[in-house]
Amino acid sequence: MPTLISTIETVSRRRLVETTASYWTSAELVDIIIDGIRDLWRDIVDLKAEHYLTVDNTNVTLQANSSVLSGLPTNVHKVYLIEPRDTSSSSANVDLVFRPLDYNHERFQSARASADIDSSSNTIYYAVTGKGAPVEAPIIYVAPQVNSAVNLSFAYIPALGALASTDYVPIPGEADNALVAWTVAMARSKEREDKSPDFNWLKIYSTEKEHLLQSLGLRQYQEAQTVDAMYEEFWSWFLPLGIGLSALL
């Protein structure tokens, strides 16, 4: 079961020895918890393990004679994949490929200067620009332009968005202990003359966070993460004889 943010507040209050709000208001602790959630979220996204991957098969299009994509979600944090929505063998866009490229790359410059192309059997370059979430939708420039509209499948990592005490903690991997440690560490800064967080609780948070990220780093165990070296099965025959690897290759 996911954990409510309000539950993290309750557990944190037990650690602060204040089960009923007095010195720390509920709003104060909830704000601290949400800051902790955002801190964890940023590092989980950087694992690139697609915990937050979202696919929009409804809204995004490349209009004919347009240099930008239309219908982009406003909560785009990272773009993961852009491809035609219909990739079946009978689709007019079956061989249309979108490739990321720097806007100032010479191939992008050349593509911008070219005539509109047919929306099949071609490569379209795209560059993600603009502020993106949470400020606004990104601006994604494309080149060359197409002569007929293409409906797109748009895979992306969304920004976290606004959170409240009634929301569930949107962090995978059993993050409750980390968030409680963060909350207590930051809350106790209110007690200190220099307003610094509690070092010991921050250390607990750091350890919990490290373990959390380690547990989230690998999402499948079906395939090995390493490969066998070329001719590895023959090494044991030659190495005792002093024959180097270069002689085997």
Side-chain angles (χ1 to χ4, degrees):
M1 281 288 292
T3 304
L4 286 167
I5 290 175
S6 59
T7 301
I8 300 296
E9 179 194 354
T10 299
V11 177
S12 299
R13 284 194 179 279
R14 295 189 192 124
R15 304 294 185 271
L16 291 165
V17 197
E18 185 185 77
T19 55
T20 301
S22 176
Y23 188 66
W24 291 278
T25 67
S26 180
E28 283 179 305
L29 293 187
V30 168
D31 284 347
I32 292 172
I33 294 166
I34 292 173
D35 286 344
I37 288 171
R38 295 190 187 284
D39 185 72
L40 292 174
W41 173 83
R42 281 190 292 264
D43 286 334
I44 291 171
V45 168
D46 282 346
L47 290 174
K48 299 177 177 62
E50 288 69 72
H51 292 89
Y52 298 95
L53 182 65
T54 301
V55 181
D56 184 331
N57 285 319
T58 305
N59 300 299
V60 184
T61 59
L62 173 55
Q63 300 292 342
N65 315 118
S66 177
S67 62
V68 295
L69 298 187
S70 302
L72 288 169
T74 58
N75 64 338
V76 176
H77 176 64
K78 302 284 186 182
V79 175
Y80 189 82
L81 177 68
I82 302 174
E83 63 181 358
R85 201 175 300 167
D86 185 358
T87 56
S88 64
S89 59
S90 60
S91 170
N93 311 130
V94 63
D95 292 320
L96 185 65
V97 177
F98 287 78
R99 299 291 186 201
L101 195 64
D102 289 340
Y103 186 81
N104 63 347
H105 194 283
E106 60 184 12
R107 289 202 300 272
F108 210 132
Q109 295 178 21
S110 176
R112 283 197 297 274
S114 71
D116 291 2
I117 63 171
D118 185 69
S119 57
S120 64
S121 303
N122 279 298
T123 296
I124 294 177
Y125 301 114
Y126 71 88
V128 183
T129 70
K131 301 177 184 67
V135 180
E136 61 187 5
I139 301 169
I140 300 183
Y141 289 99
V142 297
Q145 298 179 22
V146 293
N147 56 21
S148 60
V150 182
N151 291 325
L152 299 176
S153 176
F154 185 76
Y156 69 104
I157 306 299
L160 197 53
L163 294 169
S165 63
T166 53
D167 291 322
Y168 288 111
V169 173
I171 301 295
E174 303 290 350
D176 293 9
N177 287 342
L179 287 173
V180 169
W182 166 279
T183 304
V184 175
M186 295 302 176
R188 294 202 63 189
S189 66
K190 187 177 179 179
E191 301 174 315
R192 297 171 176 268
E193 185 175 348
D194 63 358
K195 304 304 179 185
S196 62
D198 184 281
F199 174 78
N200 290 325
W201 279 101
L202 273 185
K203 189 174 180 180
I204 294 171
Y205 170 71
S206 179
T207 301
E208 289 287 340
K209 179 179 180 179
E210 181 181 356
H211 292 166
L212 177 68
L213 295 176
Q214 287 174 351
S215 73
L216 294 174
L218 181 61
R219 302 204 69 184
Q220 62 83 26
Y221 292 88
Q222 179 176 337
E223 297 292 341
Q225 300 303 300
T226 59
V227 296
D228 295 334
M230 184 179 294
Y231 308 127
E232 183 176 357
E233 64 270 26
F234 300 113
W235 291 3
S236 59
W237 300 359
F238 295 97
L239 294 181
L241 301 176
I243 300 175
L245 178 62
S246 59
L248 300 177
L249 301 179

PDB file of all heavy atoms in Angstrom, residues 47-62:
ATOM      1  N   LEU A  47      18.409   7.922 -12.199  1.00  0.00           N
ATOM      2  CA  LEU A  47      18.773   6.517 -12.360  1.00  0.00           C
ATOM      3  C   LEU A  47      18.469   6.019 -13.771  1.00  0.00           C
ATOM      4  O   LEU A  47      19.003   5.003 -14.208  1.00  0.00           O
ATOM      5  CB  LEU A  47      18.001   5.647 -11.360  1.00  0.00           C
ATOM      6  CG  LEU A  47      18.365   5.778  -9.880  1.00  0.00           C
ATOM      7  CD1 LEU A  47      17.400   4.943  -9.041  1.00  0.00           C
ATOM      8  CD2 LEU A  47      19.805   5.350  -9.631  1.00  0.00           C
ATOM      9  N   LYS A  48      17.555   6.726 -14.460  1.00  0.00           N
ATOM     10  CA  LYS A  48      17.146   6.359 -15.822  1.00  0.00           C
ATOM     11  C   LYS A  48      16.588   4.933 -15.874  1.00  0.00           C
ATOM     12  O   LYS A  48      16.821   4.185 -16.829  1.00  0.00           O
ATOM     13  CB  LYS A  48      18.298   6.531 -16.802  1.00  0.00           C
ATOM     14  CG  LYS A  48      18.807   7.972 -16.901  1.00  0.00           C
ATOM     15  CD  LYS A  48      19.987   8.100 -17.825  1.00  0.00           C
ATOM     16  CE  LYS A  48      20.415   9.563 -17.962  1.00  0.00           C
ATOM     17  NZ  LYS A  48      20.859  10.164 -16.693  1.00  0.00           N
ATOM     18  N   ALA A  49      15.848   4.582 -14.839  1.00  0.00           N
ATOM     19  CA  ALA A  49      15.220   3.264 -14.772  1.00  0.00           C
ATOM     20  C   ALA A  49      13.726   3.347 -15.079  1.00  0.00           C
ATOM     21  O   ALA A  49      12.983   2.387 -14.849  1.00  0.00           O
ATOM     22  CB  ALA A  49      15.448   2.629 -13.409  1.00  0.00           C
ATOM     23  N   GLU A  50      13.273   4.506 -15.571  1.00  0.00           N
ATOM     24  CA  GLU A  50      11.908   4.687 -16.074  1.00  0.00           C
ATOM     25  C   GLU A  50      10.816   4.427 -15.038  1.00  0.00           C
ATOM     26  O   GLU A  50       9.758   3.893 -15.366  1.00  0.00           O
ATOM     27  CB  GLU A  50      11.663   3.816 -17.320  1.00  0.00           C
ATOM     28  CG  GLU A  50      12.368   4.289 -18.554  1.00  0.00           C
ATOM     29  CD  GLU A  50      13.876   4.146 -18.504  1.00  0.00           C
ATOM     30  OE1 GLU A  50      14.366   3.012 -18.580  1.00  0.00           O
ATOM     31  OE2 GLU A  50      14.565   5.176 -18.341  1.00  0.00           O
ATOM     32  N   HIS A  51      11.052   4.801 -13.804  1.00  0.00           N
ATOM     33  CA  HIS A  51      10.017   4.653 -12.789  1.00  0.00           C
ATOM     34  C   HIS A  51       8.819   5.559 -13.058  1.00  0.00           C
ATOM     35  O   HIS A  51       7.710   5.274 -12.606  1.00  0.00           O
ATOM     36  CB  HIS A  51      10.590   4.974 -11.400  1.00  0.00           C
ATOM     37  CG  HIS A  51      11.587   3.979 -10.924  1.00  0.00           C
ATOM     38  ND1 HIS A  51      12.935   4.092 -11.195  1.00  0.00           N
ATOM     39  CD2 HIS A  51      11.436   2.838 -10.204  1.00  0.00           C
ATOM     40  CE1 HIS A  51      13.570   3.071 -10.660  1.00  0.00           C
ATOM     41  NE2 HIS A  51      12.694   2.293 -10.055  1.00  0.00           N
ATOM     42  N   TYR A  52       9.045   6.651 -13.783  1.00  0.00           N
ATOM     43  CA  TYR A  52       7.966   7.620 -14.009  1.00  0.00           C
ATOM     44  C   TYR A  52       7.606   7.751 -15.496  1.00  0.00           C
ATOM     45  O   TYR A  52       6.939   8.705 -15.891  1.00  0.00           O
ATOM     46  CB  TYR A  52       8.367   8.987 -13.448  1.00  0.00           C
ATOM     47  CG  TYR A  52       8.599   8.976 -11.958  1.00  0.00           C
ATOM     48  CD1 TYR A  52       9.873   8.800 -11.431  1.00  0.00           C
ATOM     49  CD2 TYR A  52       7.542   9.123 -11.073  1.00  0.00           C
ATOM     50  CE1 TYR A  52      10.087   8.769 -10.063  1.00  0.00           C
ATOM     51  CE2 TYR A  52       7.741   9.096  -9.699  1.00  0.00           C
ATOM     52  CZ  TYR A  52       9.015   8.918  -9.201  1.00  0.00           C
ATOM     53  OH  TYR A  52       9.221   8.885  -7.848  1.00  0.00           O
ATOM     54  N   LEU A  53       8.042   6.811 -16.307  1.00  0.00           N
ATOM     55  CA  LEU A  53       7.799   6.902 -17.741  1.00  0.00           C
ATOM     56  C   LEU A  53       6.303   6.980 -18.051  1.00  0.00           C
ATOM     57  O   LEU A  53       5.505   6.192 -17.555  1.00  0.00           O
ATOM     58  CB  LEU A  53       8.401   5.694 -18.458  1.00  0.00           C
ATOM     59  CG  LEU A  53       8.248   5.687 -19.981  1.00  0.00           C
ATOM     60  CD1 LEU A  53       9.017   6.836 -20.607  1.00  0.00           C
ATOM     61  CD2 LEU A  53       8.722   4.355 -20.549  1.00  0.00           C
ATOM     62  N   THR A  54       5.935   7.943 -18.883  1.00  0.00           N
ATOM     63  CA  THR A  54       4.545   8.153 -19.292  1.00  0.00           C
ATOM     64  C   THR A  54       4.496   8.216 -20.814  1.00  0.00           C
ATOM     65  O   THR A  54       5.364   8.839 -21.438  1.00  0.00           O
ATOM     66  CB  THR A  54       3.998   9.465 -18.698  1.00  0.00           C
ATOM     67  OG1 THR A  54       4.079   9.400 -17.276  1.00  0.00           O
ATOM     68  CG2 THR A  54       2.555   9.708 -19.108  1.00  0.00           C
ATOM     69  N   VAL A  55       3.510   7.595 -21.414  1.00  0.00           N
ATOM     70  CA  VAL A  55       3.373   7.595 -22.869  1.00  0.00           C
ATOM     71  C   VAL A  55       2.049   8.244 -23.241  1.00  0.00           C
ATOM     72  O   VAL A  55       0.981   7.773 -22.838  1.00  0.00           O
ATOM     73  CB  VAL A  55       3.455   6.169 -23.448  1.00  0.00           C
ATOM     74  CG1 VAL A  55       3.338   6.216 -24.971  1.00  0.00           C
ATOM     75  CG2 VAL A  55       4.760   5.489 -23.029  1.00  0.00           C
ATOM     76  N   ASP A  56       2.121   9.320 -24.001  1.00  0.00           N
ATOM     77  CA  ASP A  56       0.942  10.036 -24.481  1.00  0.00           C
ATOM     78  C   ASP A  56       0.680   9.618 -25.926  1.00  0.00           C
ATOM     79  O   ASP A  56       1.450   9.956 -26.830  1.00  0.00           O
ATOM     80  CB  ASP A  56       1.186  11.552 -24.390  1.00  0.00           C
ATOM     81  CG  ASP A  56      -0.042  12.367 -24.777  1.00  0.00           C
ATOM     82  OD1 ASP A  56      -0.851  11.893 -25.597  1.00  0.00           O
ATOM     83  OD2 ASP A  56      -0.179  13.504 -24.277  1.00  0.00           O
ATOM     84  N   ASN A  57      -0.392   8.870 -26.128  1.00  0.00           N
ATOM     85  CA  ASN A  57      -0.775   8.431 -27.473  1.00  0.00           C
ATOM     86  C   ASN A  57      -2.011   9.172 -27.976  1.00  0.00           C
ATOM     87  O   ASN A  57      -2.720   8.660 -28.851  1.00  0.00           O
ATOM     88  CB  ASN A  57      -1.054   6.927 -27.476  1.00  0.00           C
ATOM     89  CG  ASN A  57       0.216   6.106 -27.413  1.00  0.00           C
ATOM     90  OD1 ASN A  57       1.207   6.437 -28.065  1.00  0.00           O
ATOM     91  ND2 ASN A  57       0.211   5.053 -26.625  1.00  0.00           N
ATOM     92  N   THR A  58      -2.245  10.355 -27.438  1.00  0.00           N
ATOM     93  CA  THR A  58      -3.487  11.058 -27.741  1.00  0.00           C
ATOM     94  C   THR A  58      -3.290  12.468 -28.282  1.00  0.00           C
ATOM     95  O   THR A  58      -3.974  12.869 -29.235  1.00  0.00           O
ATOM     96  CB  THR A  58      -4.377  11.142 -26.479  1.00  0.00           C
ATOM     97  OG1 THR A  58      -4.588   9.832 -25.968  1.00  0.00           O
ATOM     98  CG2 THR A  58      -5.720  11.796 -26.788  1.00  0.00           C
ATOM     99  N   ASN A  59      -2.370  13.220 -27.709  1.00  0.00           N
ATOM    100  CA  ASN A  59      -2.385  14.669 -27.896  1.00  0.00           C
ATOM    101  C   ASN A  59      -1.330  15.255 -28.828  1.00  0.00           C
ATOM    102  O   ASN A  59      -1.528  16.340 -29.370  1.00  0.00           O
ATOM    103  CB  ASN A  59      -2.241  15.352 -26.524  1.00  0.00           C
ATOM    104  CG  ASN A  59      -3.361  14.970 -25.580  1.00  0.00           C
ATOM    105  OD1 ASN A  59      -4.521  15.227 -25.836  1.00  0.00           O
ATOM    106  ND2 ASN A  59      -2.997  14.338 -24.464  1.00  0.00           N
ATOM    107  N   VAL A  60      -0.212  14.586 -28.989  1.00  0.00           N
ATOM    108  CA  VAL A  60       0.924  15.213 -29.669  1.00  0.00           C
ATOM    109  C   VAL A  60       0.888  14.923 -31.168  1.00  0.00           C
ATOM    110  O   VAL A  60       0.699  13.777 -31.591  1.00  0.00           O
ATOM    111  CB  VAL A  60       2.248  14.728 -29.067  1.00  0.00           C
ATOM    112  CG1 VAL A  60       3.432  15.452 -29.713  1.00  0.00           C
ATOM    113  CG2 VAL A  60       2.258  14.960 -27.555  1.00  0.00           C
ATOM    114  N   THR A  61       1.101  15.965 -31.950  1.00  0.00           N
ATOM    115  CA  THR A  61       1.117  15.824 -33.410  1.00  0.00           C
ATOM    116  C   THR A  61       2.214  16.697 -34.006  1.00  0.00           C
ATOM    117  O   THR A  61       2.655  17.673 -33.404  1.00  0.00           O
ATOM    118  CB  THR A  61      -0.228  16.243 -34.050  1.00  0.00           C
ATOM    119  OG1 THR A  61      -0.498  17.617 -33.719  1.00  0.00           O
ATOM    120  CG2 THR A  61      -1.365  15.372 -33.564  1.00  0.00           C
ATOM    121  N   LEU A  62       2.620  16.328 -35.201  1.00  0.00           N
ATOM    122  CA  LEU A  62       3.447  17.191 -36.033  1.00  0.00           C
ATOM    123  C   LEU A  62       2.577  17.619 -37.206  1.00  0.00           C
ATOM    124  O   LEU A  62       2.236  16.804 -38.067  1.00  0.00           O
ATOM    125  CB  LEU A  62       4.694  16.455 -36.525  1.00  0.00           C
ATOM    126  CG  LEU A  62       5.548  17.210 -37.553  1.00  0.00           C
ATOM    127  CD1 LEU A  62       5.968  18.583 -37.041  1.00  0.00           C
ATOM    128  CD2 LEU A  62       6.757  16.377 -37.967  1.00  0.00           C
TER     129      LEU A  62
END
